[in-house]
Amino acid sequence: SAVISQKPSRDICQRGTSLTIQCQVDSQVTMMFWYRQQPGQSLTLIATANQGSEATYESGFVIDKFPISRPNLTFSTLTVSNMSPEDSSIYLCSGRYNEQFFGPGTRLTVL
Amino acid sequence: GENVEQHPSTLSVQEGDSAVIKCTYSDSASNYFPWYKQELGKRPQLIIDIRSNVGEKKDQRIAVTLNKTAKHFSLHITETQPEDSAVYFCGQGDSSYKLIFGSGTRLLVRP
């Protein structure tokens, strides 16, 4: 199984700023995804990170707010732009080969 | 569209009893149904999965059943133990490889 790491593990940010979250997989995966999980809630898919091309966003999520990069098969970044307190959540990266694995998450608090 | 409903939202059982969690999906193209366990403060972990060409799969104390006609699948945990206490999420996938998750079930196993 793949091991997925994320940086930072947590951050506290001011309203109006942006934060970039990094996701690293220790082996090549066919797909990478970004999810958001509010406290006590389920996992909501933000987008599919496509290697070398624009990410595919789910309904309710847009590129201007959540730009995503995936320069190679093992690395992706998610930026949360122009943050507001409503963006406070846990952001999880996942990778899929045969099965889908999750990173440890990044706990974001926006003041 | 893609949607998966999960019941119950909370489940409390006595240690040694069985626990059953059910999910219903709407997308006929769904062909992959994983179950994840998430302990407090941890990342979701895959515990078992089933594909649409199989009706049942078992791994020690856990099993998953799939009824394609009725579009529902269930997680069965037998001989529950306190360490089974966690939040469980069902997932639904198709040829796009992305996963959509149910709302989660908080399982409490009472010693």
Side-chain angles (χ1 to χ4, degrees), chain A residues 4 31 33 35 37 41-43 45 58 92 96 98-100 102-104, chain B residues 2 32 36 38 43-44 46 49 51 89 96-103:
Chain A
I4 303 177
M31 310 291 288
F33 305 93
Y35 286 83
Q37 187 174 34
Q41 302 295 313
S42 184
L43 300 147
L45 181 63
E58 297 299 305
L92 296 112
R96 180 165 180 178
N98 289 319
E99 301 166 351
Q100 188 160 328
F102 285 87
Chain B
E2 305 146 339
Y32 178 63
Y36 285 80
Q38 188 176 32
R43 73 187 80 187
L46 179 70
D49 58 9
R51 300 185 188 275
F89 294 100
S96 72
Y97 295 102
K98 66 182 184 182
L99 291 180
I100 305 301
F101 289 92
S103 54

Short mmCIF file of all heavy atoms in Angstrom, two decimals, chain A residues 4 31 33 35 37 41-43 45 58 92 96 98-100 102-104, chain B residues 2 32 36 38 43-44 46 49 51 89 96-103:
data_model
loop_
_atom_site.label_atom_id
_atom_site.label_comp_id
_atom_site.label_asym_id
_atom_site.label_seq_id
_atom_site.Cartn_x
_atom_site.Cartn_y
_atom_site.Cartn_z
N ILE A 4 1.12 8.14 2.14
CA ILE A 4 0.87 9.50 1.71
C ILE A 4 1.17 10.45 2.86
O ILE A 4 0.72 10.23 3.98
CB ILE A 4 -0.59 9.67 1.26
CG1 ILE A 4 -0.93 8.69 0.14
CG2 ILE A 4 -0.85 11.11 0.79
CD1 ILE A 4 -2.36 8.73 -0.32
N MET A 31 -4.31 7.91 -9.75
CA MET A 31 -5.19 9.04 -9.50
C MET A 31 -4.83 9.69 -8.16
O MET A 31 -4.40 9.01 -7.23
CB MET A 31 -6.65 8.59 -9.43
CG MET A 31 -7.12 7.72 -10.59
SD MET A 31 -7.21 8.61 -12.14
CE MET A 31 -8.64 9.65 -11.83
N PHE A 33 -6.58 12.72 -5.45
CA PHE A 33 -7.80 13.48 -5.17
C PHE A 33 -7.58 14.37 -3.96
O PHE A 33 -6.74 14.09 -3.10
CB PHE A 33 -8.97 12.53 -4.87
CG PHE A 33 -9.24 11.52 -5.94
CD1 PHE A 33 -8.66 10.25 -5.88
CD2 PHE A 33 -10.08 11.80 -7.00
CE1 PHE A 33 -8.91 9.30 -6.86
CE2 PHE A 33 -10.34 10.85 -7.98
CZ PHE A 33 -9.75 9.61 -7.91
N TYR A 35 -9.94 16.04 -0.76
CA TYR A 35 -11.20 16.01 -0.04
C TYR A 35 -11.18 17.07 1.07
O TYR A 35 -10.13 17.47 1.55
CB TYR A 35 -11.43 14.64 0.60
CG TYR A 35 -11.79 13.54 -0.36
CD1 TYR A 35 -10.81 12.85 -1.06
CD2 TYR A 35 -13.12 13.18 -0.56
CE1 TYR A 35 -11.14 11.83 -1.94
CE2 TYR A 35 -13.46 12.15 -1.44
CZ TYR A 35 -12.47 11.49 -2.12
OH TYR A 35 -12.80 10.48 -2.99
N GLN A 37 -13.07 17.69 4.93
CA GLN A 37 -13.86 17.06 5.98
C GLN A 37 -14.08 18.05 7.11
O GLN A 37 -13.14 18.41 7.83
CB GLN A 37 -13.18 15.79 6.51
CG GLN A 37 -14.06 15.01 7.48
CD GLN A 37 -13.45 13.69 7.89
OE1 GLN A 37 -12.24 13.54 8.02
NE2 GLN A 37 -14.32 12.69 8.13
N GLN A 41 -18.13 15.44 10.20
CA GLN A 41 -18.86 15.25 8.94
C GLN A 41 -18.16 14.24 8.05
O GLN A 41 -17.10 13.70 8.39
CB GLN A 41 -18.97 16.60 8.21
CG GLN A 41 -19.66 17.69 8.99
CD GLN A 41 -21.12 17.38 9.25
OE1 GLN A 41 -21.85 16.98 8.35
NE2 GLN A 41 -21.55 17.56 10.48
N SER A 42 -18.77 14.03 6.90
CA SER A 42 -18.21 13.07 5.94
C SER A 42 -17.12 13.72 5.10
O SER A 42 -16.77 14.88 5.29
CB SER A 42 -19.34 12.54 5.06
OG SER A 42 -18.85 11.55 4.17
N LEU A 43 -16.62 12.94 4.18
CA LEU A 43 -15.58 13.40 3.26
C LEU A 43 -16.24 13.93 1.99
O LEU A 43 -16.99 13.21 1.33
CB LEU A 43 -14.66 12.22 2.91
CG LEU A 43 -13.97 11.59 4.11
CD1 LEU A 43 -13.78 10.10 3.91
CD2 LEU A 43 -12.63 12.27 4.33
N LEU A 45 -15.60 15.40 -1.77
CA LEU A 45 -14.60 15.48 -2.82
C LEU A 45 -14.55 16.89 -3.40
O LEU A 45 -15.58 17.43 -3.81
CB LEU A 45 -14.94 14.48 -3.92
CG LEU A 45 -13.98 14.42 -5.12
CD1 LEU A 45 -12.59 13.98 -4.69
CD2 LEU A 45 -14.53 13.46 -6.18
N GLU A 58 -15.45 19.22 -8.55
CA GLU A 58 -16.82 18.80 -8.26
C GLU A 58 -17.71 20.03 -8.13
O GLU A 58 -17.22 21.16 -7.96
CB GLU A 58 -16.85 17.99 -6.97
CG GLU A 58 -16.06 16.69 -7.06
CD GLU A 58 -16.57 15.75 -8.13
OE1 GLU A 58 -17.78 15.41 -8.10
OE2 GLU A 58 -15.76 15.36 -9.00
N LEU A 92 -7.84 16.67 3.06
CA LEU A 92 -7.15 15.39 2.90
C LEU A 92 -6.82 15.12 1.44
O LEU A 92 -7.67 15.29 0.56
CB LEU A 92 -8.01 14.23 3.42
CG LEU A 92 -8.33 14.24 4.91
CD1 LEU A 92 -9.80 14.49 5.13
CD2 LEU A 92 -7.93 12.93 5.55
N ARG A 96 -4.79 6.82 -5.50
CA ARG A 96 -5.39 5.54 -5.82
C ARG A 96 -4.56 4.81 -6.85
O ARG A 96 -4.20 5.38 -7.88
CB ARG A 96 -6.81 5.72 -6.33
CG ARG A 96 -7.49 4.40 -6.69
CD ARG A 96 -8.97 4.55 -6.85
NE ARG A 96 -9.59 3.28 -7.21
CZ ARG A 96 -10.88 3.11 -7.37
NH1 ARG A 96 -11.71 4.11 -7.22
NH2 ARG A 96 -11.36 1.92 -7.70
N ASN A 98 -4.77 0.50 -6.96
CA ASN A 98 -5.91 -0.41 -6.95
C ASN A 98 -6.92 0.01 -5.89
O ASN A 98 -8.12 -0.10 -6.07
CB ASN A 98 -5.45 -1.84 -6.69
CG ASN A 98 -4.71 -2.41 -7.87
OD1 ASN A 98 -5.10 -2.21 -9.01
ND2 ASN A 98 -3.62 -3.12 -7.60
N GLU A 99 -6.39 0.46 -4.78
CA GLU A 99 -7.23 0.94 -3.68
C GLU A 99 -6.90 2.41 -3.43
O GLU A 99 -5.90 2.92 -3.91
CB GLU A 99 -6.94 0.13 -2.41
CG GLU A 99 -7.20 -1.35 -2.60
CD GLU A 99 -6.60 -2.20 -1.49
OE1 GLU A 99 -5.83 -1.65 -0.67
OE2 GLU A 99 -6.90 -3.39 -1.45
N GLN A 100 -7.76 3.07 -2.69
CA GLN A 100 -7.56 4.50 -2.42
C GLN A 100 -7.10 4.69 -0.99
O GLN A 100 -7.72 4.17 -0.06
CB GLN A 100 -8.85 5.27 -2.67
CG GLN A 100 -8.69 6.78 -2.60
CD GLN A 100 -9.80 7.51 -3.31
OE1 GLN A 100 -10.35 7.05 -4.30
NE2 GLN A 100 -10.16 8.67 -2.78
N PHE A 102 -5.50 7.53 2.02
CA PHE A 102 -5.58 8.92 2.42
C PHE A 102 -4.32 9.38 3.13
O PHE A 102 -3.67 8.61 3.83
CB PHE A 102 -6.78 9.14 3.35
CG PHE A 102 -8.10 9.13 2.62
CD1 PHE A 102 -8.77 7.94 2.39
CD2 PHE A 102 -8.64 10.31 2.14
CE1 PHE A 102 -9.98 7.93 1.70
CE2 PHE A 102 -9.85 10.31 1.45
CZ PHE A 102 -10.51 9.12 1.23
N GLY A 103 -4.04 10.66 2.95
CA GLY A 103 -3.02 11.30 3.75
C GLY A 103 -3.56 11.59 5.14
O GLY A 103 -4.75 11.40 5.41
N PRO A 104 -2.70 12.08 6.03
CA PRO A 104 -3.12 12.34 7.42
C PRO A 104 -4.00 13.57 7.58
O PRO A 104 -4.60 13.76 8.63
CB PRO A 104 -1.79 12.51 8.15
CG PRO A 104 -0.86 13.01 7.09
CD PRO A 104 -1.28 12.35 5.82
N GLU B 2 -24.60 11.21 -8.63
CA GLU B 2 -23.93 10.40 -7.62
C GLU B 2 -24.45 10.76 -6.24
O GLU B 2 -24.42 11.93 -5.85
CB GLU B 2 -22.43 10.66 -7.69
CG GLU B 2 -21.83 10.42 -9.06
CD GLU B 2 -20.69 11.38 -9.33
OE1 GLU B 2 -20.62 12.43 -8.68
OE2 GLU B 2 -19.89 11.06 -10.21
N TYR B 32 -17.79 -0.06 -7.68
CA TYR B 32 -16.81 -0.28 -6.63
C TYR B 32 -17.33 0.31 -5.33
O TYR B 32 -17.78 1.46 -5.30
CB TYR B 32 -15.48 0.37 -7.03
CG TYR B 32 -14.39 0.26 -5.99
CD1 TYR B 32 -13.89 -0.99 -5.61
CD2 TYR B 32 -13.87 1.39 -5.39
CE1 TYR B 32 -12.89 -1.09 -4.65
CE2 TYR B 32 -12.86 1.30 -4.44
CZ TYR B 32 -12.38 0.06 -4.07
OH TYR B 32 -11.40 -0.05 -3.13
N TYR B 36 -14.57 2.40 4.83
CA TYR B 36 -13.44 2.99 5.54
C TYR B 36 -13.79 3.14 7.02
O TYR B 36 -14.93 3.44 7.37
CB TYR B 36 -13.07 4.36 4.97
CG TYR B 36 -12.34 4.29 3.64
CD1 TYR B 36 -13.04 4.09 2.46
CD2 TYR B 36 -10.96 4.43 3.58
CE1 TYR B 36 -12.38 4.02 1.24
CE2 TYR B 36 -10.29 4.36 2.36
CZ TYR B 36 -11.01 4.16 1.20
OH TYR B 36 -10.35 4.08 0.01
N GLN B 38 -12.62 5.32 10.40
CA GLN B 38 -11.87 6.50 10.80
C GLN B 38 -11.95 6.66 12.32
O GLN B 38 -13.02 6.91 12.87
CB GLN B 38 -12.38 7.76 10.11
CG GLN B 38 -11.51 8.99 10.38
CD GLN B 38 -11.94 10.22 9.61
OE1 GLN B 38 -13.13 10.41 9.34
NE2 GLN B 38 -10.99 11.06 9.23
N ARG B 43 -6.62 9.40 9.95
CA ARG B 43 -7.07 9.37 8.57
C ARG B 43 -8.01 8.19 8.34
O ARG B 43 -7.91 7.18 9.04
CB ARG B 43 -5.87 9.28 7.63
CG ARG B 43 -5.18 7.91 7.59
CD ARG B 43 -3.90 7.92 6.78
NE ARG B 43 -2.79 8.47 7.55
CZ ARG B 43 -1.59 8.72 7.03
NH1 ARG B 43 -1.37 8.48 5.74
NH2 ARG B 43 -0.63 9.21 7.76
N PRO B 44 -8.89 8.24 7.35
CA PRO B 44 -9.73 7.07 7.02
C PRO B 44 -8.84 5.92 6.53
O PRO B 44 -7.90 6.13 5.76
CB PRO B 44 -10.63 7.59 5.89
CG PRO B 44 -10.58 9.07 6.00
CD PRO B 44 -9.22 9.40 6.51
N LEU B 46 -8.99 2.04 4.75
CA LEU B 46 -9.78 1.04 4.05
C LEU B 46 -9.80 -0.26 4.84
O LEU B 46 -8.75 -0.77 5.24
CB LEU B 46 -9.19 0.80 2.66
CG LEU B 46 -9.89 -0.25 1.80
CD1 LEU B 46 -11.25 0.25 1.36
CD2 LEU B 46 -9.03 -0.60 0.58
N ASP B 49 -13.51 -3.93 0.73
CA ASP B 49 -14.18 -3.37 -0.44
C ASP B 49 -14.78 -4.49 -1.27
O ASP B 49 -14.44 -5.66 -1.09
CB ASP B 49 -13.23 -2.52 -1.29
CG ASP B 49 -12.01 -3.30 -1.79
OD1 ASP B 49 -11.96 -4.54 -1.63
OD2 ASP B 49 -11.09 -2.65 -2.32
N ARG B 51 -16.46 -5.30 -5.39
CA ARG B 51 -16.73 -4.82 -6.75
C ARG B 51 -18.04 -5.40 -7.24
O ARG B 51 -18.54 -6.38 -6.69
CB ARG B 51 -15.56 -5.18 -7.66
CG ARG B 51 -14.27 -4.54 -7.18
CD ARG B 51 -13.07 -4.72 -8.08
NE ARG B 51 -11.86 -4.23 -7.42
CZ ARG B 51 -11.46 -2.97 -7.44
NH1 ARG B 51 -12.17 -2.08 -8.12
NH2 ARG B 51 -10.36 -2.60 -6.82
N PHE B 89 -17.36 4.85 7.08
CA PHE B 89 -17.90 5.49 5.87
C PHE B 89 -17.99 4.48 4.74
O PHE B 89 -17.02 3.75 4.47
CB PHE B 89 -16.99 6.64 5.40
CG PHE B 89 -16.92 7.80 6.34
CD1 PHE B 89 -15.84 7.96 7.19
CD2 PHE B 89 -17.94 8.75 6.36
CE1 PHE B 89 -15.77 9.04 8.06
CE2 PHE B 89 -17.87 9.83 7.23
CZ PHE B 89 -16.79 9.97 8.08
N SER B 96 -14.69 6.48 -13.30
CA SER B 96 -13.87 7.69 -13.15
C SER B 96 -12.86 7.56 -12.01
O SER B 96 -11.99 8.41 -11.86
CB SER B 96 -14.77 8.90 -12.88
OG SER B 96 -15.31 8.85 -11.58
N TYR B 97 -13.01 6.51 -11.22
CA TYR B 97 -12.13 6.20 -10.09
C TYR B 97 -12.33 7.11 -8.88
O TYR B 97 -11.80 6.83 -7.82
CB TYR B 97 -10.65 6.23 -10.49
CG TYR B 97 -10.28 5.16 -11.49
CD1 TYR B 97 -10.13 5.44 -12.83
CD2 TYR B 97 -10.12 3.84 -11.07
CE1 TYR B 97 -9.82 4.46 -13.75
CE2 TYR B 97 -9.81 2.85 -11.98
CZ TYR B 97 -9.66 3.16 -13.32
OH TYR B 97 -9.35 2.19 -14.21
N LYS B 98 -13.09 8.17 -9.00
CA LYS B 98 -13.31 8.99 -7.81
C LYS B 98 -14.31 8.30 -6.90
O LYS B 98 -15.14 7.51 -7.34
CB LYS B 98 -13.80 10.37 -8.21
CG LYS B 98 -15.17 10.38 -8.87
CD LYS B 98 -15.56 11.79 -9.27
CE LYS B 98 -16.97 11.82 -9.83
NZ LYS B 98 -17.37 13.17 -10.28
N LEU B 99 -14.23 8.59 -5.60
CA LEU B 99 -15.12 8.01 -4.62
C LEU B 99 -16.01 9.08 -4.00
O LEU B 99 -15.54 10.15 -3.64
CB LEU B 99 -14.33 7.32 -3.51
CG LEU B 99 -13.57 6.04 -3.87
CD1 LEU B 99 -12.84 5.51 -2.64
CD2 LEU B 99 -14.52 4.99 -4.43
N ILE B 100 -17.27 8.74 -3.88
CA ILE B 100 -18.23 9.57 -3.16
C ILE B 100 -18.60 8.81 -1.90
O ILE B 100 -18.87 7.60 -1.95
CB ILE B 100 -19.49 9.84 -4.02
CG1 ILE B 100 -19.10 10.45 -5.36
CG2 ILE B 100 -20.46 10.74 -3.26
CD1 ILE B 100 -18.36 11.77 -5.26
N PHE B 101 -18.64 9.53 -0.77
CA PHE B 101 -18.83 8.86 0.51
C PHE B 101 -20.20 9.12 1.12
O PHE B 101 -20.80 10.18 0.90
CB PHE B 101 -17.74 9.31 1.49
CG PHE B 101 -16.39 8.76 1.16
CD1 PHE B 101 -15.51 9.48 0.35
CD2 PHE B 101 -16.00 7.52 1.62
CE1 PHE B 101 -14.26 8.96 0.03
CE2 PHE B 101 -14.76 6.99 1.31
CZ PHE B 101 -13.89 7.71 0.51
N GLY B 102 -20.64 8.14 1.90
CA GLY B 102 -21.84 8.32 2.70
C GLY B 102 -21.57 9.25 3.87
O GLY B 102 -20.44 9.68 4.09
N SER B 103 -22.61 9.51 4.62
CA SER B 103 -22.54 10.50 5.70
C SER B 103 -21.84 9.97 6.96
O SER B 103 -21.53 10.75 7.85
CB SER B 103 -23.94 10.98 6.06
OG SER B 103 -24.78 9.88 6.35
#
